[in-house]
Amino acid sequence: MDQTSNTVRTVHITVTNGYDLKGFKGDTPVTFVRAEFNQAVLGDSSKITVSPEGTAKYNFTSNIDLSPDGGITLDDLAHKPLFLTVTEVLPKEKKQKDEKTLTLGQAVVDLLPLLEGEESFETTVPLHPVQGSPLETPLPGSKQCSLDVKVFVAEPLLTPAQVSASNLLKVTLEAAYSVPESFIPVGPQQNYMVGLQVPSVGEKDYTMIFRNGILKLGGEREPLPRPKKWPIANILAPGASNIPDAFIVGGPYEEEEGELNHPEDREFRNQAECTKKRIVWDLESRCFLHPTAVASLQKRIADCRLWPVEITRVPLIVMPKGKPGKLEKTEDENQLSFHGVAYINMVPLLYPGVKRIRGAFHVYPYLDGTVFEKQAPSIKSQSSDTPLESEAPLSHNLEGQQYIEAGTYIVLEIQLDKALVPKRMPEELARRVKEMIPPRPPLTRRTGGAQKAVSDYHTQIKSISRAILNEYHRMFGKQGTKLLSDIDNETMEEQKCQLNYELNCSGKYFAFKEQLKHAVVKIVREKYLKTTAFESQEELQTFISELYVFLVDQMHVALNQAIPDDVPSTTSTIQTSSNQLRLFAFEAEVNENFEMAAVYYEERLVREPQNLENWLDYGAFCLLTEDNIKAQECFRKALSLNESHIHSLLLCGVLAVLLENYEQAEIFFEDATCLEPTNVIAWTLLGLFYEIQNNDIRMEMAFHEAFKQLQARTLQTKLKSSATIENSEEGVKVEPSFGPWGVIQESSTAIKSDGLSGEIPHILITHHLRPGLKCLLILIFISYRIYSLHKYSLKTRIRPRSSHLLSPRPTMDLHSQPQGPNTALSSLDEFLEESPKAQSESQEPIITVQTQESSLAQKSSNVLLKELTSKKETSKCQDSSAFFPPTHQAIPQPPVTIFMETIRFLMKVNAVQFVHRVLAHELLCPQGGPSCEYYLVLAQTHLLKKDFAKTEEYLQQAAQMDYLNPNVWGVKGHLYFLSGNHAEAKECYERTISFVVDASEMHFIFLRLGHIYLEEKEYENAKRTYMQACKRSPSCLTWLGLGIACYRLEELTEAEDALSEANALNNCNAEVWAYLALVCLKVGRQLEAEQAYKYTIKLKLKDQALLEEIHSVQEMVGFGNPSF
């Protein structure tokens, strides 16, 4: 389009050799080469005789002079090739004056490398035969005819800076499908044309015209891939019209950028591209863009997003050519018909890193007014001097109306050599993130060696011994331990056989073996230094025998350490898990006890400082308390632990926006989209960031990508089968699930085992042992363990209950008398029957029966609870997903739009400042709009601000849209509860729990409903409600509520059990100690009552009415207060 220099420069083209040539009149014809460019002949070579081998040495050079003043320009080099035509000179016949010539073939040389800064290049181009040429049938064993060509210039046409700043625009017109039925291939010949304008440096635009479209009847799809063709007519050889190494490859409709890329368009496009008429061009036109033209193109796209591409039909008329008797077909441009226009959205070319758009675009009737309305106001004023009101109405283009009736669309591709807007490379983004995030501390070194291997073996033996002891108690009961003299050998053998049978049938024996396997392998490697395969079977058996003796000896050492002769009884304590602490912290959040919530979150960090989930939870809590600086520190700490964690990156970006660090925010969001390009939330947040920056084009790009990824994911979800995976070896169902921060986990009922690492595949000791030897170690261990149990019970007189220490940490047991074996179970016992069995205190549990997170009851070691559960035959696993705000069985809410999915993420992390901005987009989104969830989120945000009037208004609108949504009634109950209207809250909570599908916050619904029942003295209902809460997600508050209800019902035994559980989970709750004091006073245990009362006063009980009740009972029984 524009020249970069005012000087004339010359391009030299040299044809050196031709290969595998032959002629019409023999195998050694006389030939010459003619060079043509821009419809002008550059020169002919001398006549050369082809050798018998088909080789001709031409050494012919021609020149192209580049001149900015009306001559050949750089743009001509971009979109016009050099043609080399090989012609045979036939021998003269008698009385023949002029030589007769026949064209053999034509070669094409693409001069584009000169525009890429190259000074010279050499290439071998194929010589395409013309029709009827002898080159169409090559000699046997020979290759296709070709020419060696060298192109060079004295100096590069473009400097490196100009190459970097310039660009190359390629427009490929593939076809127009579903054209009007009035288009017929018979009758007067027509030229089907398409044109568009590209901005130039000056005021005049550069026009691209695609001519000579071929009208085809339907019947079959166009082949893929197929070559692109030069937009040049009158090419002699059919093969020379194809652009070298350029093909139309197509692609899925969903990945296109056009107007017909939706799932509902698939059927129509398949039908149109297979059976209906179409006009095929397959032409590629190029346009060289000078640096100033690149800027002009970028500005034009920003000003005028929709570019018109016109399509029309022009009749061909026959005109006489220069020579007499020859005719030429030309176009009658005064008879345009079927004038249509397609509007190409060019905005994606302004997206970072985008160089290509391809898609199908509807064809509409061409009307000047409509075309101008599609353009920006600045373009209108430059393009039209007449008012829009005077434009012709739609009825004046009846031919163009047929495009709409037929559903015509064109398939077009626009490609740039370099993106108009460069995109940051992933490496650069990762480097920038590392600069902002401090490096994480080095991991602790793992100690090894023989001593460590033996110590680990001892640990595993002790862990297995505790598990088998629990199994023995489950089968024969703790009450079954008698004096050694009372048990004969026959009974012991029978019990041992029953225990072995149960372990094998349940699969626990296999689990024990797998757990022990890794420790045994470590001993083999570290102590015996065996790291290679054995050379013979005898060597293997000798080693196994030696190893077996050592393992049995060390087993006895470990068991003697675990069961000394005289061990004082100790009090069992409960170690709360990280998930329990998260539940307790969330309870404190909801109750607005932020100080206590911070204590729980900080305790999680102290226990597991390398767990990024703990940092993310604490950061979300800091967002709730509007401590953005501390929240930023937490999120960046999480990111330092895992630089590829998407949620950490997104939250760092959110905090950067809140703190107005926009440059850092962009880096975080872009890095997230690079690391996980399919993440819908990442693209949506990036779009929201660009909206804040008033960058509308990039905002649209991000939202469009998010929508595309959501659409693709929805399609994949429909095609996928059930997520349940059958474990072929164990026969156990394993369901993949996601943790609260996107960490993939597995919920299973499989037996956990530590497999062997793959370092030494030949040494699998347990596999080499004979069946008898494999079982012997475990059998001896079981027999030894049962014997030791009886010996231990003889010496220490194990009681069914442990002793108690009235201190803040241990569990309290305040029964006046132990329960006998025949005592009827209370209703609380029946409830506890469904509770999980207490988890072993070992660091590596043998049986892991868990869901998304470890449940509370699995960690509980309360002795009273152990006794109650030991009476049952089996123990069931409890779902612990209620440790997180959304409990299990939550109401399914598949994401409908990209904005609603982002809203859920932001609400989960308490980023309420962002939520209202996203809600505005959800309201305007074509796929979104006002919905039940939309109003529900609005209500929740106003409820956090204590704006009860607005909350109630939005909840009413949500209920009108989905009256049966349990979340609506749950939030409505919270509204009435917080506003003090407990009667209405009670009604809403009762309605919520009556639904088949649970709400997302059932834990707090049960807590608050139980609290209302206690206030209204409906103690039976309160008891039932708190028992359901304890089954779902036990906490100090749930057990406390259950204990209060049982105490008010005068069920002191059950009240004591529940309060003991509450005390074990939180020994700093003054109300728990207060009710324990009341229970002790009622059952007449003075010492324990005084101790409980002491902690009640020490922890500063705030409920004065409860304190007065304690004083009243103390006065009534005459003890309990040491101060009088």
Side-chain angles (χ1 to χ4, degrees), residues 546-563:
E546 180 182 357
L547 175 64
Y548 176 77
V549 173
F550 176 82
L551 293 177
V552 172
D553 291 342
Q554 293 301 317
M555 178 191 70
H556 286 280
V557 172
L559 292 176
N560 289 330
Q561 292 175 355
I563 311 176

Side-chain angles (χ1 to χ4, degrees), residues 1096-1124:
T1096 302
I1097 300 302
K1098 182 177 180 180
L1099 296 172
K1100 299 178 182 180
L1101 179 66
K1102 297 179 180 180
D1103 190 344
Q1104 292 299 321
L1106 180 57
L1107 191 59
E1108 292 176 1
E1109 181 181 0
I1110 294 176
H1111 291 160
S1112 176
V1113 176
Q1114 287 174 343
E1115 292 178 1
M1116 181 179 65
V1117 298
F1119 61 85
N1121 188 349
S1123 62
F1124 65 86

Side-chain angles (χ1 to χ4, degrees), residues 726-782:
E726 294 292 338
N727 189 326
S728 58
E729 296 182 358
E730 306 265 350
V732 180
K733 290 184 179 181
V734 181
E735 299 179 357
S737 61
F738 289 87
W741 298 109
V743 180
I744 298 179
Q745 302 171 340
E746 290 183 354
S747 75
S748 67
T749 54
I751 297 175
K752 179 180 177 182
S753 64
D754 294 327
L756 293 174
S757 60
E759 298 177 12
I760 310 175
H762 299 287
I763 304 183
L764 300 177
I765 300 303
T766 55
H767 288 247
H768 289 299
L769 291 173
R770 295 192 301 272
L773 290 177
K774 283 203 301 185
C775 298
L776 188 56
L777 183 61
I778 297 296
L779 292 178
I780 292 177
F781 158 72
I782 294 173

Side-chain angles (χ1 to χ4, degrees), residues 966-971 973 987-999 1002 1005:
N967 284 324
V968 174
W969 292 100
V971 177
E987 182 180 349
C988 293
Y989 287 147
E990 289 176 341
R991 183 186 294 269
T992 304
I993 65 176
S994 66
F995 285 109
V996 176
V997 180
D998 288 344
M1002 293 301 296
I1005 291 173

